[in-house]
Amino acid sequence: MTRGNVEMCLYRVLVLSVFLSITQAVDRSNFKTCDQSAFCSRQRAMKPGQSSYTALLETLELSDSHLTVQLLNNNNKVLLLLELYRLQGNMTRVKINELKPIKARYEVPDVLITDPPTELMSVVAQDEHRVVLSLGGEDWRLILSAQPFRLDIMEGPQVLLSLNSRGLLAFEQLRIQGEEEEAEEEVDQPGMWEETFKTHADTKPNGPSSISLDFSLPGVEHVYGIPEHADGLRLKNTDGGDPYRLYNLDVFQYELFNPMALYGAVPVLLSHNTHRTMGLFWLNAAETWVDVSSGQVGVCGSSEVPQTDVRWISESGIIDVFIMLGPRPNDVFTQYSSLTGTQAFPPLSSLAYHQCRWNYNDQEDVSAVDQGFDEHDIPYDFIWLDIEHTDGKRYFTWDNNKFPQPKDMLQGLLDKRRKMVTIVDPHIKVDSSYKIHTEIRSRGYYIKNKDGGDYEGWCWPGNAGYPDFTNPEMRKWWASMFAYDQYEGSMENLYTWNDMNEPSVFNGPEVTMHKDALHGPWEHRDIHNLYGFYVQMATAEGQIQRSGGLERPFVLTRAFFAGSQRYGAVWTGDNAAEWGHLKMSIPMCLSLGLVGISFCGADVGGFFKTPSAELLVRWYQAGAYQPFFRAHAHLDTPRREPWLFGPDNTALIREAVRQRYTLLPYWYLQFYHAQRTGQPVMRPLWVEYPEDIATFSIDNEFLIGRDLLVHPVTDERSSGVTAYLPGNGEVWYDVHTFQRHDGAQNLSIPVTMSSIPVFQRGGSIICRKNRVRRSSSCMENDPYTLYVALDSQGKAEGEIYIDDGHTFKHKTDKQFIHRRLSFTANSLSSSDLSPDSQFTTASWVEQVNILGAQKPDAVTLTTTDGGESSVEFEFDPDTAVLTLRKPGVNAGVNWTLHLR
Amino acid sequence: MSCALLLLLMSLALAMGTGAAVEIQRPRGVPLSSELENKPFTCLDGSSTIPFDRVNDDYCDCRDGSDEPGTAACPNGSFHCTNAGFRPAFIPSSRINDGICDCCDTTDEYNSGATCQNTCREMGRKERESLQIMAEITKEGFLLKQQLIHEAKRGQEDKQGKLTELQGSKKGLEEKVEALRTVKETAEDPEKEAKERHLKAWEEQKELLRMEKDKTRMAECVTVGDIQRYFRLQSHLELDPDSDGSLSETETQGLLGGADKVDTSTFETVWSGIKDKYLSEGQSEPPAPVETPQEESRDFVSDHDSDHYPEDYAGEEEEDVEDDEEDDHDEEEEEEKVPPTVQTPEKREDDEVSMPPYDTETQSLIDAAQKARDDFDEAERALREVDDQMKNLEKEIGFDFGPSAEFAYLYSQCYELSTSEYIYRLCPFNRVSQKPKFGGSETNLGLWGQWAGPEGNLYSVMKYDHGQGCWQGPNRSTTVKLTCGKETVVTSTSEPSRCEYLMEFTTPAVCQEPASLDEVLHGHTEL
């Protein structure tokens, strides 16, 4: 064989293997690269340099709430209007729009929970080159430079963030085709007035309308956020590759470590270094691409400092950016949640275990699976029905043969204090005998195609219409469909799952809707990333309404946008039964948590393909410690209920699920906090240890709240993991053995199949309910066991939160208990954090475990009524665990335990 | 000590529910007796000893959960419901006071606020009813089973007998075949010789005739033009050396060796060179545009075909076609003598002369040989038949029809179940299939695999696998669960997992010897 032949042969093997690997995973050719997206390639062709924009300082107007100034594009003399707001809570808002657009440009509604309150801005200094504004405090400044236009936010002499410092501000003004300006920049390029991808033509009656802006972050090496991507926690440099894409898409068998767009989009990016955490919220719902470029920059002759440059490109709309200045991670979360709201406080049971499969075939199947959990003594709260439960994929209906008596089925679950979720997707079968369809059509609620007829696409039911959820009237009507008398066969223990709401259109461009489809006056292009957000909003509203406003909703969505946290839970879509996907579940949910969406989970076991028993067990162990804990499986995979893999694996899965149930009080408390403060429930380590550089890139372990550190085993046949325990001077306790470890170290942990490495932070008190029952509702009145993990000073603090678990009465009637548990000076006491609230509980304190304790001589319990009693205890000198036997005091009252 | 205590506790726990009449203040789950009162309690695993007032005090002291049989305090405890009127049961202690009624006597929900009705009597009654029905079914089923076993035994014996019988006749047949083979071979040698002689004689005669004809033709064509005209050589493009689509006179001249006039001997040489081409071209020419010959030729072909595939019907009507076959054989042999190509009738008339009939001597040799062949074939066929029968019998005998061959009656039977969409068909020990009710082809859901019941009850489950493959999935397979019934019926089918089917099947063959009905009924009520 000649050399050429060998090469040829190798080439063929290579081509073949590449081909095979592609056909097994995502079909990339279905989705655009930046080059294939006309506006992205047009914008990206523009290189950094001097901006063509000048701020016309003579037009500057300063009012109480904001500053406006005109920006002139020196190339074509088009004028833009810049608006600057100083917002309460250390934020700055920058809006740029055309001064006089020929028609209005889309501004995203409904995502911000209020018109953000402003603070007074004052001019500190001004000359013909620049204006210096005070952002409050002594040395917070915003500098507006005129020529070229640029903004710098300063703290003292330090630049925190610059806008347009690389001159990448671009704003394609709306125009009428053919009426071209003289300027040479305006020469039409292909793709400006129409664009074709594969066989799909996109007419662009409004022509080019894209926008772009660059941000520079001196001193920053680590940036995070802009989900959803199947990629690591820390964002990568996109130089030389595609930018991260934000465009909600139904991607079949998505690839890992890829900046391709997935089901949801949250245009929020966080930057972090040891001094400061900041956030950028790019409020735009059109297709968006984000370039990230990190490197070293020489500054003023001094040594090189790191810098990260970020560039946002969107297809339409306006520039509307919120700059969240931190400075601490929790400040950024507070700032962001003040804009878009916090995580909805879910019903307690939705934090428990969910059993799903495409599909549980019929009522008998549901009842057999339900029975299976009892027989194998594994708790679960929700069983799910996928699309096959409907009559021909007509949502809000039931297949009469398979589910002839849905209420009997639901009542059967209710009798066991369990619940069900049915899927309700936003594509509506075009069928004149289907009430939902005829109503939507007759009311004119469908999205229209470019010619004004009802837009129709292909999805599960075949030909389908897509309701226009951007229309508040439509959302109101949709919500009313969840009323018990509208949704036949529904009951109070039936909840909802919104899938395919990107929206997924099987025969549409990139498996989604044509961008020239119309939502009233707006193109789908403008609102695309908002569609799924609205679907979940309307569905959650329906669930609230059906209960007369009393009950908290539970709605799971696949597509999402900034603000989706207000309406329920999110999962990471159609993953696969592979170890890589198990690993990826951690950074994907961590990224979502950073941008407000705390209620996140991945399909346990993997949706596509079939997991080995080992992978399934490891996934249960990892999933038990992630916020949304649901097993799910594709229709074509063999059954995988937890008891189908032999008694040993059944026992391992049972144990993982039981650990979840014992920790439900802690999870519930975290979600209570998330709702109040916007802090993520599942957190990257750097959020709690912002000065510890070692934590900045960790995404194989995470924190739940502040107090639990989890390092799931995600490798096949693993014999050990290395967990980083953060915090100099901190101590951590293994929650299973109570062994104590010092912080700021890499700890090697040998593992067996039963190991789930979890550590409790010294200095914390965690409440568990150790009596695991068959569903979380059954545990309502059960007693608590307290785990008091002492820090190096012998102190610990924690909280307990109790309410009815499912209504809004905690909010409307202050019906809750929120108490502080504090261990100091050898005394553990419970004190009220919310004295004006009222709720009573039957739960009591069954046991107290003090980790890292010394043996006392005696323990006494003092209650508010002055009663004092002695408490029996046991001390294990090997583990230094002091166990107090049955204090027996009610969980809702004041008490103190004294160790003498 | 602890062992005795265990026994005591268990028996007391069993008696607990009935103690409703002797209600005294005492911890639930463990009755007080003067003996036990105030004595420390040792956990059943011996791990520790606790004061007796910590038994059922809603705090778990024993690692094995034995101190809290009446509360949910221990994760691994069991609670005993007496269920008077029904069946006593243990439930996990996590189900005590969880708001769900588990024990029909309501004893598990003594402090949860759940309002439970005592349903033991009702359940007991229902159970007795269904037990009674089951018992009757079992009884009758078991009788049927005995009959099945009996029949199977007889069937098995019959089959064994038949097998032995066949083995005997096989031996005779083998001998007969061998003997007839010799007879056949002996008869075929002279036949072959005689036929060859006859054939050779005819070939020679034909050659002579042909030469005569050739000479006559040659004599007629003297000039190239004549040859061209006579043979219409211009249209015989297969002879065209430059393939320009025509055969010019010069080219013809070349073909004929350069002469524009040829004598007989020269032409003979040339002619022998081109005649094959000439003739074969004539044959490949499309048949003349006359309807009748085409029809004939088609008929001819079809006759010819059937002659070549006698086995097509040999299997089905072996006996009946014997006479026909004899004829067929004759025809076949004859036709082998003529070129098997299709020719236009004109040419055949021109060129071919049919072979003269055999002389009587040869014919009688042929007839004799044919007779020997037929006898041999028949004997061989009979042997094959016996072989097949034996194989089938051996296969059937070899099947695992259960410990007493009680499932033998299912062999070569099929049972159907019609659902809203499909007709399911179970042919035990063979295959399972599914056919859409409204058109569409049948799908193989699995071929007989093996008995697949759990240990000790192997014959309660049949497994059929290697059915039709599924897209992106496994091959279809079916699990058939057998339950006792008087009738042999498929009662349900389902597809719990994609392409894995489950079928419920009742048959008397799995009915177990019933305990006496009294025992069944009273064993559960005397509590």
Side-chain angles (χ1 to χ4, degrees):
Chain A
M1 200 182 256
T2 65
R3 193 184 148 78
N5 280 341
V6 175
E7 279 174 354
M8 193 61 193
C9 187
L10 282 175
Y11 175 69
R12 277 187 186 157
V13 170
L14 192 67
V15 166
L16 191 68
S17 61
V18 165
F19 177 73
L20 285 175
S21 66
I22 285 173
T23 52
Q24 278 168 7
V26 67
D27 185 356
R28 285 198 197 191
S29 70
N30 275 338
F31 304 102
K32 286 183 186 177
T33 60
C34 177
D35 279 346
Q36 289 166 318
S37 177
F39 78 91
C40 185
S41 78
R42 205 159 62 228
Q43 290 281 9
R44 226 186 179 203
M46 184 174 155
K47 298 298 174 203
Q50 180 152 325
S51 177
S52 59
Y53 283 94
T54 303
L56 306 176
L57 295 187
E58 63 275 21
T59 65
L60 187 144
E61 285 177 36
L62 186 64
S63 74
D64 281 354
S65 65
H66 70 295
L67 171 155
T68 60
V69 68
Q70 290 176 16
L71 305 178
L72 172 71
N73 182 344
N74 293 302
N75 292 329
N76 61 8
K77 308 301 173 205
V78 172
L79 285 168
L80 304 179
L81 182 69
L82 167 76
E83 295 173 72
L84 283 173
Y85 298 80
R86 181 182 158 210
L87 301 182
Q88 286 178 16
N90 206 11
M91 288 182 282
T92 301
R93 183 181 191 176
V94 178
K95 270 176 96 167
I96 303 175
N97 197 351
E98 293 178 50
L99 181 65
K100 287 174 184 163
I102 56 169
K103 61 189 273 192
R105 297 180 66 117
Y106 189 68
E107 298 187 37
V108 176
D110 300 318
V111 167
L112 300 178
I113 50 173
T114 56
D115 204 8
T118 57
E119 283 194 276
L120 209 61
M121 245 183 182
S122 56
V123 174
V124 177
Q126 182 172 9
D127 59 24
E128 69 269 33
H129 301 299
R130 56 187 200 153
V131 178
V132 181
L133 298 148
S134 165
L135 288 178
E138 281 296 301
D139 50 2
W140 290 80
R141 298 280 183 270
L142 192 154
I143 300 169
L144 165 64
S145 304
Q147 175 67 42
F149 161 67
R150 126 176 211 162
L151 289 172
D152 294 280
I153 294 176
M154 314 281 295
E155 186 186 30
Q158 202 185 350
V159 180
L160 302 180
L161 176 126
S162 307
L163 278 76
N164 201 32
S165 55
R166 292 192 297 149
L168 293 170
L169 168 63
F171 211 107
E172 293 178 328
Q173 85 280 8
L174 297 179
R175 51 204 166 106
I176 292 161
Q177 191 170 16
E179 289 182 17
E180 299 310 307
E181 306 267 333
E182 293 296 300
E184 55 192 67
E185 298 266 318
E186 302 300 316
V187 172
D188 277 347
Q189 293 166 22
M192 277 186 164
W193 296 92
E194 64 181 323
E195 184 173 351
T196 301
F197 179 65
K198 301 189 101 173
T199 57
H200 302 284
D202 175 16
T203 64
K204 298 184 179 180
N206 294 326
S209 59
S210 69
I211 53 173
S212 161
L213 184 58
D214 66 278
F215 301 82
S216 291
L217 296 153
V220 168
E221 283 180 281
H222 292 82
V223 287
Y224 308 92
I226 51 170
E228 178 176 45
H229 300 100
D231 206 353
L233 174 65
R234 182 190 174 185
L235 296 176
K236 291 196 191 76
N237 222 316
T238 59
D239 297 339
D242 253 17
Y244 284 100
R245 189 183 189 201
L246 295 173
Y247 190 58
N248 295 354
L249 291 174
D250 178 3
V251 181
F252 181 78
Q253 297 196 341
Y254 59 78
E255 263 180 60
L256 305 182
F257 302 107
N258 193 311
M260 283 171 74
L262 287 180
Y263 312 95
V266 184
V268 174
L269 180 138
L270 272 63
S271 72
H272 177 70
N273 61 22
T274 52
H275 306 301
R276 180 178 300 277
T277 309
M278 295 192 293
L280 289 174
F281 173 25
W282 177 267
L283 181 51
N284 188 298
E287 180 185 342
T288 296
W289 299 78
V290 186
D291 260 319
V292 174
S293 177
S294 296
Q296 306 284 318
V297 181
V299 178
C300 308
S302 70
S303 61
E304 299 219 315
V305 297
Q307 175 165 318
T308 296
D309 297 316
V310 180
R311 179 194 192 180
W312 300 74
I313 303 168
S314 290
E315 187 175 10
S316 66
I318 64 160
I319 293 174
D320 191 359
V321 195
F322 296 82
I323 299 158
M324 299 170 280
L325 293 168
R328 306 279 299 177
N330 57 352
D331 296 323
V332 175
F333 302 135
T334 304
Q335 286 154 2
Y336 179 63
S337 60
S338 75
L339 299 172
T340 65
T342 59
Q343 178 67 52
F345 190 32
L348 171 59
S349 56
S350 65
L351 296 174
Y353 174 62
H354 299 258
Q355 181 67 33
C356 186
R357 171 175 183 84
W358 176 21
N359 213 96
Y360 285 121
N361 299 329
D362 49 33
Q363 280 178 232
E364 291 71 40
D365 199 1
V366 167
S367 140
V369 171
D370 179 72
Q371 197 60 40
F373 276 92
D374 287 345
E375 274 162 27
H376 297 91
D377 203 16
I378 301 170
Y380 89 94
D381 272 62
F382 280 79
I383 187 164
W384 292 52
L385 296 180
D386 209 324
I387 51 174
E388 311 297 331
H389 83 277
T390 59
D391 172 16
K393 319 295 187 290
R394 293 168 183 86
Y395 305 105
F396 301 101
T397 71
W398 302 82
D399 182 313
N400 272 331
N401 290 317
K402 298 169 179 166
F403 297 92
Q405 303 293 340
K407 281 194 175 177
D408 288 357
M409 173 178 64
L410 287 165
Q411 185 61 50
L413 292 169
L414 195 62
D415 289 345
K416 289 197 187 164
R417 310 180 75 175
R418 286 174 176 151
K419 301 170 171 67
M420 176 172 262
V421 167
T422 49
I423 197 164
V424 177
D425 287 352
H427 50 256
I428 302 300
K429 187 177 177 70
V430 174
D431 169 6
S432 57
S433 61
Y434 175 33
K435 186 190 80 177
I436 299 285
H437 163 73
T438 53
E439 285 267 310
I440 296 173
R441 171 159 286 182
S442 67
R443 289 164 185 260
Y445 286 162
Y446 276 126
I447 295 171
K448 303 288 186 276
N449 61 36
K450 64 179 163 49
D451 304 316
D454 285 349
Y455 180 94
E456 285 179 5
W458 206 257
C459 208
W460 295 125
N463 203 28
Y466 292 76
D468 185 0
F469 283 90
T470 67
N471 175 354
E473 289 299 311
M474 157 62 208
R475 293 201 297 274
K476 205 171 149 192
W477 175 84
W478 178 266
S480 74
M481 289 299 102
F482 289 88
Y484 296 121
D485 59 350
Q486 290 293 325
Y487 187 170
E488 276 176 44
S490 68
M491 283 179 36
E492 66 270 26
N493 63 335
L494 181 68
Y495 296 82
T496 311
W497 172 17
N498 291 149
D499 195 3
M500 314 297 280
N501 53 342
E502 293 76 21
S504 179
V505 182
F506 292 162
N507 58 342
E510 303 192 84
V511 202
T512 191
M513 188 165 283
H514 293 74
K515 284 177 173 171
D516 51 14
L518 293 168
H519 302 252
W522 302 109
E523 281 191 291
H524 186 68
R525 183 186 331 278
D526 301 312
I527 70 94
H528 176 85
N529 285 346
L530 271 179
Y531 189 75
F533 162 93
Y534 278 128
V535 173
Q536 193 190 20
M537 175 198 273
T539 304
E541 184 54 36
Q543 277 187 17
I544 295 170
Q545 279 178 16
R546 71 175 185 180
S547 71
L550 185 65
E551 298 284 329
R552 285 176 242 166
F554 171 71
V555 182
L556 178 75
T557 182
R558 192 169 71 181
F560 50 82
F561 189 69
S564 286
Q565 67 269 17
R566 307 199 296 264
Y567 307 112
V570 156
W571 94 109
T572 62
D574 298 345
N575 62 357
E578 292 167 4
W579 292 92
H581 276 271
L582 167 58
K583 287 191 176 74
M584 189 54 78
S585 69
I586 301 171
M588 285 180 83
C589 280
L590 284 176
S591 295
L592 279 166
L594 287 176
V595 299
I597 299 177
S598 268
F599 204 0
C600 167
D603 285 346
V604 169
F607 178 66
F608 291 112
K609 305 186 181 174
T610 301
S612 65
E614 185 190 355
L615 175 57
L616 186 66
V617 167
R618 290 300 190 200
W619 213 318
Y620 268 98
Q621 293 174 339
Y625 286 90
Q626 292 177 5
F628 176 56
F629 182 25
R630 182 187 74 153
H632 188 31
H634 189 274
L635 183 70
D636 286 329
T637 60
R639 294 291 279 240
R640 52 168 100 138
E641 284 70 47
W643 50 87
L644 295 175
F645 301 86
D648 290 352
N649 291 312
T650 304
L652 290 167
I653 293 171
R654 178 191 298 122
E655 174 56 25
V657 178
R658 289 173 68 100
Q659 285 185 27
R660 171 58 165 238
Y661 276 75
T662 64
L663 272 172
L664 283 174
Y666 183 72
W667 280 103
Y668 198 48
L669 174 68
Q670 299 315 309
F671 273 89
Y672 177 67
H673 282 311
Q675 178 219 208
R676 295 211 313 167
T677 67
Q679 307 298 306
V681 169
M682 180 175 167
R683 302 177 188 166
L685 269 59
W686 64 260
V687 167
E688 292 300 329
Y689 300 89
E691 281 155 32
D692 185 349
I693 295 170
T695 64
F696 289 5
S697 297
I698 290 178
D699 60 6
N700 58 0
E701 64 182 54
F702 55 88
L703 295 165
I704 303 167
R706 286 175 64 200
D707 301 335
L708 281 182
L709 183 148
V710 187
H711 188 116
V713 181
T714 57
D715 280 307
E716 194 169 15
R717 288 188 288 277
S718 177
S719 58
V721 298
T722 302
Y724 180 72
L725 301 180
N728 219 336
E730 296 259 27
V731 290
W732 294 89
Y733 296 87
D734 184 311
V735 299
H736 309 296
T737 65
F738 304 129
Q739 201 184 338
R740 180 187 159 129
H741 304 281
D742 287 330
Q745 65 153 327
N746 280 303
L747 181 69
S748 290
I749 308 153
V751 299
T752 63
M753 269 316 290
S754 63
S755 307
I756 316 176
V758 180
F759 300 87
Q760 182 178 345
R761 189 177 57 82
S764 67
I765 299 174
I766 289 179
C767 299
R768 295 183 186 237
K769 281 188 175 179
N770 283 338
R771 301 184 181 187
V772 175
R773 300 185 182 260
R774 74 191 110 184
S775 72
S776 67
S777 303
C778 297
M779 295 163 67
E780 186 184 352
N781 296 322
D782 281 341
Y784 290 92
T785 295
L786 274 45
Y787 291 81
V788 181
L790 300 183
D791 65 13
S792 46
Q793 280 85 50
K795 291 182 178 174
E797 278 212 2
E799 290 173 24
I800 189 166
Y801 175 82
I802 309 171
D803 65 14
D804 63 22
H806 57 96
T807 70
F808 286 112
K809 285 182 188 164
H810 65 97
K811 211 180 230 171
T812 54
D813 301 354
K814 284 195 163 271
Q815 296 259 342
F816 64 91
I817 292 165
H818 188 197
R819 307 188 69 82
R820 163 169 290 125
L821 302 166
S822 167
F823 187 95
T824 180
N826 279 326
S827 287
L828 174 65
S829 56
S830 168
S831 57
D832 207 337
L833 281 171
S834 181
D836 59 338
S837 69
Q838 41 199 300
F839 189 71
T840 52
T841 178
S843 296
W844 46 285
V845 181
E846 155 168 63
Q847 192 183 71
V848 177
N849 292 295
I850 303 173
L851 318 183
Q854 290 173 337
K855 188 177 181 180
D857 294 329
V859 180
T860 53
L861 171 70
T862 315
T863 48
T864 34
D865 55 15
E868 198 172 298
S869 53
S870 110
V871 172
E872 201 173 309
F873 62 89
E874 240 180 281
F875 181 74
D876 182 342
D878 295 337
T879 54
V881 176
L882 176 68
T883 300
L884 310 186
R885 185 190 190 281
K886 206 180 179 188
V889 64
N890 185 283
V893 302
N894 289 337
W895 49 265
T896 306
L897 280 160
H898 302 279
L899 276 52
R900 298 182 209 280
Chain B
M1 156 65 196
S2 67
C3 191
L5 183 62
L6 171 71
L7 283 173
L8 184 65
L9 273 179
M10 280 178 67
S11 57
L12 287 172
L14 285 170
M16 187 188 86
T18 47
V22 273
E23 195 66 63
I24 52 163
Q25 288 293 314
R26 66 197 170 90
R28 197 169 297 262
V30 180
L32 279 179
S33 77
S34 50
E35 273 176 273
L36 283 172
E37 205 170 3
N38 300 325
K39 282 192 180 172
F41 175 85
T42 302
C43 306
L44 296 189
D45 64 357
S47 59
S48 67
T49 299
I50 54 170
F52 196 80
D53 62 5
R54 295 201 173 164
V55 172
N56 276 347
D57 70 339
D58 208 9
Y59 185 90
C60 192
D61 291 287
C62 294
R63 259 181 302 182
D64 65 353
S66 58
D67 63 316
E68 298 292 319
T71 77
C74 294
N76 46 353
S78 289
F79 180 85
H80 185 262
C81 336
T82 313
N83 293 345
F86 188 53
R87 203 170 339 109
F90 279 101
I91 59 166
S93 58
S94 64
R95 293 178 195 172
I96 299 167
N97 290 328
D98 66 349
I100 302 164
C101 309
D102 290 285
C103 300
C104 63
D105 64 5
T106 76
T107 50
D108 61 317
E109 296 301 316
Y110 57 85
N111 194 24
S112 69
T115 46
C116 300
Q117 304 291 321
N118 188 322
T119 54
C120 290
R121 300 217 173 270
E122 178 62 14
M123 284 173 76
R125 189 182 61 76
K126 277 193 184 149
E127 191 184 54
R128 275 192 299 282
E129 276 174 18
S130 71
L131 277 174
Q132 192 148 6
I133 292 166
M134 262 317 291
E136 273 158 28
I137 290 172
T138 308
K139 194 174 157 196
E140 284 180 54
F142 190 71
L143 282 176
L144 286 169
K145 181 179 174 179
Q146 297 313 308
Q147 218 170 310
L148 289 174
I149 291 172
H150 182 68
E151 278 166 22
K153 205 174 160 197
R154 223 173 42 208
Q156 204 79 344
E157 278 162 9
D158 283 357
K159 277 167 208 138
Q160 202 62 54
K162 190 144 186 227
L163 190 60
T164 319
E165 196 181 298
L166 284 170
Q167 268 158 353
S169 64
K170 183 184 174 184
K171 216 171 170 196
L173 278 170
E174 275 168 349
E175 282 162 15
K176 190 176 169 192
V177 165
E178 280 318 301
L180 286 172
R181 187 194 307 280
T182 319
V183 172
K184 183 184 85 149
E185 281 165 5
T186 319
E188 276 177 338
D189 284 346
E191 179 209 26
K192 197 179 166 199
E193 274 172 40
K195 274 165 113 178
E196 273 169 6
R197 256 198 320 277
H198 180 82
L199 187 65
K200 202 176 165 202
W202 182 58
E203 288 290 342
E204 281 165 7
Q205 198 193 344
K206 268 201 296 190
E207 189 59 21
L208 273 174
L209 279 169
R210 219 177 358 249
M211 278 163 70
E212 283 297 312
K213 266 192 184 169
D214 283 358
K215 269 185 191 154
T216 321
R217 276 181 204 160
M218 279 182 292
E220 283 163 8
C221 44
V222 200
T223 66
V224 173
D226 285 343
I227 291 167
Q228 266 202 321
R229 269 189 300 280
Y230 184 80
F231 292 106
R232 294 188 292 258
L233 275 181
Q234 291 99 323
S235 63
H236 286 261
L237 300 179
E238 75 277 10
L239 300 175
D240 178 11
D242 65 359
S243 303
D244 68 349
S246 74
L247 194 64
S248 66
E249 217 166 280
T250 327
E251 283 167 345
T252 311
Q253 210 170 317
L255 274 175
L256 299 177
D260 64 346
K261 282 190 178 184
V262 288
D263 60 17
T264 310
S265 61
T266 317
F267 183 76
E268 223 167 304
T269 326
V270 175
W271 173 242
S272 62
I274 64 170
K275 115 184 128 170
D276 285 347
K277 262 190 177 178
Y278 180 87
L279 287 175
S280 70
E281 192 278 336
Q283 283 155 14
S284 70
E285 243 179 78
V290 188
E291 290 298 318
T292 331
Q294 262 188 336
E295 291 275 345
E296 274 173 13
S297 94
R298 202 191 307 148
D299 288 345
F300 177 67
V301 168
S302 71
D303 281 347
H304 198 84
D305 270 1
S306 61
D307 286 345
H308 275 95
Y309 301 100
E311 62 268 28
D312 265 4
Y313 40 81
E316 288 166 35
E317 350 170 24
E318 238 168 319
E319 316 282 303
D320 301 1
V321 295
E322 221 154 87
D323 290 336
D324 293 349
E325 228 175 53
E326 230 166 293
D327 297 341
D328 288 348
H329 274 282
D330 288 346
E331 276 171 27
E332 202 170 54
E333 304 231 328
E334 270 168 16
E335 266 158 31
E336 274 160 15
K337 285 163 210 150
V338 292
T341 42
V342 184
Q343 294 189 326
T344 60
E346 194 193 351
K347 279 213 170 114
R348 199 155 49 159
E349 218 168 279
D350 259 5
D351 299 345
E352 300 298 332
V353 180
S354 26
M355 189 173 72
Y358 293 115
D359 56 65
T360 37
E361 195 190 339
T362 310
Q363 191 57 51
S364 68
L365 282 171
I366 291 173
D367 290 349
Q370 190 55 44
K371 171 99 181 30
R373 265 195 295 274
D374 292 346
D375 291 348
F376 171 74
D377 286 349
E378 199 184 334
E380 228 184 15
R381 207 156 38 230
L383 178 61
R384 259 201 315 271
E385 216 172 286
V386 168
D387 260 343
D388 286 350
Q389 283 180 31
M390 284 175 60
K391 242 179 258 165
N392 285 337
L393 275 172
E394 276 164 1
K395 190 178 158 199
E396 201 177 334
I397 290 168
F399 260 112
D400 180 359
F401 288 131
S404 310
E406 60 269 39
F407 297 100
Y409 81 106
L410 298 173
Y411 188 76
S412 75
Q413 301 293 312
C414 290
Y415 303 89
E416 285 187 349
L417 177 72
S418 192
T419 67
S420 56
E421 284 172 83
Y422 298 100
I423 295 168
Y424 290 87
R425 194 174 158 88
L426 166 67
C427 303
F429 305 106
N430 183 7
R431 68 200 297 264
V432 183
S433 58
Q434 173 201 55
K435 194 173 161 63
K437 256 184 164 170
F438 310 104
S441 58
E442 193 182 73
T443 305
N444 176 358
L445 303 187
L447 302 174
W448 167 247
Q450 71 274 319
W451 290 104
E455 214 175 308
N457 201 9
L458 179 68
Y459 298 96
S460 60
V461 177
M462 288 172 156
K463 183 83 188 171
Y464 294 80
D465 38 32
H466 301 295
Q468 206 161 306
C470 274
W471 181 77
Q472 278 203 341
N475 283 1
R476 286 172 175 80
S477 65
T478 304
T479 300
V480 180
K481 281 192 181 164
L482 282 68
T483 49
C484 169
K486 284 187 282 186
E487 274 152 30
T488 306
V489 193
V490 177
T491 54
S492 78
T493 61
S494 56
E495 188 183 356
S497 194
R498 193 68 154 176
C499 300
E500 290 175 12
Y501 296 82
L502 180 68
M503 204 169 245
E504 311 247 6
F505 186 56
T506 63
T507 162
V510 291
C511 296
Q512 300 296 320
E513 175 150 31
S516 81
L517 193 56
D518 285 354
E519 219 173 289
V520 171
L521 291 179
H522 299 295
H524 293 279
T525 52
E526 308 253 315
L527 285 161

